[in-house]
Amino acid sequence: MKTVLIAGGNVIDGTGSAPQAKTDVLLKGDRIVAVGKNLAIDAADRANAETIDASGLTVMPGLIDAHVHVTLGEPRTNDELFMHRDAATSAMLAAFNVRKVLKAGVTSMLDVDGIFNIGPALRDSINAGIVEGPTMRSGSYALMTAVGGTAGKLIPDSGTAGYAEVVRDKEEMVRVVRRQVKEGADIIKIHVTGSIPTRSGEIQVWTREELKVVCDTAHDLGVRVTAHCRGDKATLDAVMAGVDIIWHASFLGDAALEAIIDKKVPVGPVFTFLANLSEYGHKAGATSTAKSVFAGELEHTGSKLREAYDAGVKLLCGSESGFSMTPYGHWHAREMEVFVQHLGLTPLQAITCATKDNAVALDEDGETGCLASGYRADVLILDGDPSKNVSLLSDKSTFRHLFCRGKQVDLSPMPARSMFRGEQTSSWSEIALTREVALS
């Protein structure tokens, strides 16, 4: 069992406390054994010990990403995701991409849903030492009604497609939840709202009674439920039905906000995708139509969630990594920047959201997310002071050392890869070649 003394760093412990200057962190195996001044390695451990001089560097908990889609493979369209994926290559690609997540300073993550039930198998492969990656908790397919989720008519009337599993009645809801738990799901995710071609935005596609059936079934088995909610009533119904974590909570009204505060239900707004689309989408060729889908959501929802935060509700940091607008390894710290810029949190408060508070997403509160004795040895060491400039955590060039479960991670860049045949769609043209276009 190796011992590592990280000496003399500027320690941000993840609790929200002020940074501690010239402080040591002592690791033994996969645990933190001490944090304090002038720590020393026991004589019995010196033969298998290492000292890292962290003078002038920041030492903090490894990041936790509460909302990842590690199996999707960065699709540009729903067509790619639903029609151009197979189980074998998707599993191999997920094992490749999860290393990108780790090298971005993420030592724990929640894979909220995915394709072909790959997530639980990837989690088990990481735990077995077969694949290198963060500590991982995973959902399975997202539960949907036949009305759909975020892919319109690509969602079938029954069965599975892409990341979706359609449940048609209450009996099937019970049966599918039990099967997902049996097959290894750590959480159950429900798409409470969905988009259909004939309506603008997302509409609520579950009743409160149906939501309660899923929650009661999962809770009886000791499994938590999370819910995708883009709509005020959807959020209210999910909270009142017993959902444990709300994603997005878009366009909150007073009643839903009051319910969240009353029950202290954690919310992961997952603003990163919206912020990337709004601020940088034009650089990636995003259309104005794509941008309009989320118009106004960040400003409206952000102000309401700040009220929830001030009332003691945990805000979780999730990157939505897995799509072309949020590729793996690049945006895992972006949510903290959004919290500072749009919700008015301090950098230190945002860091707490992405560390100590985010441990709740993995059901690991008290296990990781803090630098304290007995916690898992998940530690990031970087140049600069993110308690003053949180965007440093998005710059991997500042990282000097990373420990995940006590093992030091190689931070060298991932090798480039080629696309699988058929992985991406191609088109004849961007627009129709009318005679007017040709002769213009």
Side-chain angles (χ1 to χ4, degrees), residues 203-223:
I203 63 171
Q204 184 168 341
V205 295
W206 288 69
T207 67
R208 185 184 296 188
E209 186 179 3
E210 289 169 336
L211 294 170
K212 190 174 187 302
V213 168
V214 171
C215 290
D216 289 349
T217 304
H219 292 162
D220 284 347
L221 295 169
V223 173

Side-chain angles (χ1 to χ4, degrees), residues 177-301:
V177 168
R178 288 172 174 167
R179 195 207 74 243
Q180 286 196 5
V181 172
K182 178 177 70 175
E183 293 179 350
D186 294 305
I187 56 122
I188 301 296
K189 182 183 175 186
I190 309 171
H191 264 254
V192 184
T193 58
S195 56
I196 57 177
T198 56
R199 303 279 288 274
S200 61
E202 292 189 24
I203 63 171
Q204 184 168 341
V205 295
W206 288 69
T207 67
R208 185 184 296 188
E209 186 179 3
E210 289 169 336
L211 294 170
K212 190 174 187 302
V213 168
V214 171
C215 290
D216 289 349
T217 304
H219 292 162
D220 284 347
L221 295 169
V223 173
R224 296 170 306 147
V225 179
T226 76
H228 166 113
C229 299
R230 292 196 184 277
D232 176 42
K233 185 176 182 297
T235 300
L236 175 61
D237 283 350
V239 171
M240 299 310 293
V243 164
D244 300 284
I245 297 174
I246 300 292
W247 305 121
H248 310 300
S250 309
F251 300 109
L252 275 177
D254 291 338
L257 177 62
E258 183 180 347
I260 286 171
I261 292 172
D262 180 59
K263 294 182 178 293
K264 294 294 185 290
V265 177
V267 177
V270 202
F271 283 141
T272 295
F273 189 98
L274 280 64
N276 279 7
L277 190 61
S278 174
E279 295 179 35
Y280 308 127
H282 63 286
K283 296 184 177 182
T287 65
S288 58
T289 301
K291 290 184 179 182
S292 69
V293 171
F294 303 110
E297 180 176 331
L298 201 157
E299 290 74 16
H300 179 279
T301 306

Side-chain angles (χ1 to χ4, degrees), residues 331-405:
W331 301 105
H332 303 282
R334 171 79 153 126
E335 196 83 348
M336 286 182 280
E337 297 178 36
V338 177
F339 282 8
V340 170
Q341 294 168 6
H342 294 276
L343 274 65
L345 270 62
T346 68
L348 202 56
Q349 288 173 324
I351 288 170
T352 300
C353 290
T355 53
K356 181 181 185 299
D357 290 351
N358 253 11
V360 171
L362 282 75
D363 202 19
E364 289 201 330
D365 191 20
E367 172 71 12
T368 190
C370 293
L371 299 186
S373 178
Y375 276 69
R376 194 162 61 227
D378 297 331
V379 184
L380 174 62
I381 305 171
L382 70 153
D383 198 7
D385 186 356
S387 72
K388 295 178 179 176
N389 179 11
V390 76
S391 64
L392 288 170
L393 292 168
S394 293
D395 182 0
K396 289 176 284 189
S397 71
T398 67
F399 296 178
R400 298 294 173 262
H401 302 275
L402 178 66
F403 291 85
C404 182
R405 301 183 296 278

Side-chain angles (χ1 to χ4, degrees), residues 5-270:
L5 176 62
I6 304 168
N10 183 42
V11 169
I12 297 173
D13 65 9
T15 67
S17 300
Q20 306 164 51
K22 297 181 180 179
T23 299
D24 305 335
V25 179
L26 185 63
L27 315 180
K28 188 172 182 179
D30 66 352
R31 294 286 135 183
I32 298 170
V33 295
V35 178
K37 306 282 187 180
N38 303 313
L39 300 180
I41 298 171
D42 291 341
D45 297 327
R46 288 173 188 164
N48 189 25
E50 176 186 4
T51 298
I52 294 174
D53 182 3
S55 301
L57 303 176
T58 292
V59 182
M60 62 177 284
L63 301 178
I64 300 173
D65 194 329
H67 198 109
V68 179
H69 298 276
V70 76
T71 67
L72 302 191
E74 301 172 2
R76 299 171 300 175
T77 64
N78 277 325
D79 178 55
E80 283 183 357
L81 174 56
F82 280 76
M83 311 303 291
H84 294 263
R85 297 289 184 266
D86 66 79
T89 54
S90 294
M92 287 184 275
L93 185 55
F96 178 84
N97 284 328
V98 78
R99 293 173 59 204
K100 295 182 181 179
V101 179
L102 177 64
K103 288 173 180 282
V106 176
T107 51
S108 301
M109 58 175 263
L110 175 62
D111 186 50
V112 288
D113 61 43
I115 57 179
F116 304 113
N117 203 41
I118 293 168
L122 181 61
R123 173 204 62 207
D124 294 346
S125 298
I126 291 170
N127 291 341
I130 298 167
V131 174
E132 184 184 28
T135 299
M136 179 176 163
R137 297 292 179 267
S138 181
S140 181
Y141 294 99
L143 300 188
M144 301 187 189
T145 64
V147 182
T150 53
K153 291 184 177 180
L154 290 174
I155 305 298
D157 292 335
S158 62
T160 62
Y163 55 84
E165 181 158 10
V166 175
V167 286
R168 295 167 292 183
D169 52 41
K170 293 174 186 175
E171 288 74 20
E172 192 165 37
M173 292 169 193
V174 172
R175 185 166 59 252
V176 168
V177 168
R178 288 172 174 167
R179 195 207 74 243
Q180 286 196 5
V181 172
K182 178 177 70 175
E183 293 179 350
D186 294 305
I187 56 122
I188 301 296
K189 182 183 175 186
I190 309 171
H191 264 254
V192 184
T193 58
S195 56
I196 57 177
T198 56
R199 303 279 288 274
S200 61
E202 292 189 24
I203 63 171
Q204 184 168 341
V205 295
W206 288 69
T207 67
R208 185 184 296 188
E209 186 179 3
E210 289 169 336
L211 294 170
K212 190 174 187 302
V213 168
V214 171
C215 290
D216 289 349
T217 304
H219 292 162
D220 284 347
L221 295 169
V223 173
R224 296 170 306 147
V225 179
T226 76
H228 166 113
C229 299
R230 292 196 184 277
D232 176 42
K233 185 176 182 297
T235 300
L236 175 61
D237 283 350
V239 171
M240 299 310 293
V243 164
D244 300 284
I245 297 174
I246 300 292
W247 305 121
H248 310 300
S250 309
F251 300 109
L252 275 177
D254 291 338
L257 177 62
E258 183 180 347
I260 286 171
I261 292 172
D262 180 59
K263 294 182 178 293
K264 294 294 185 290
V265 177
V267 177
V270 202

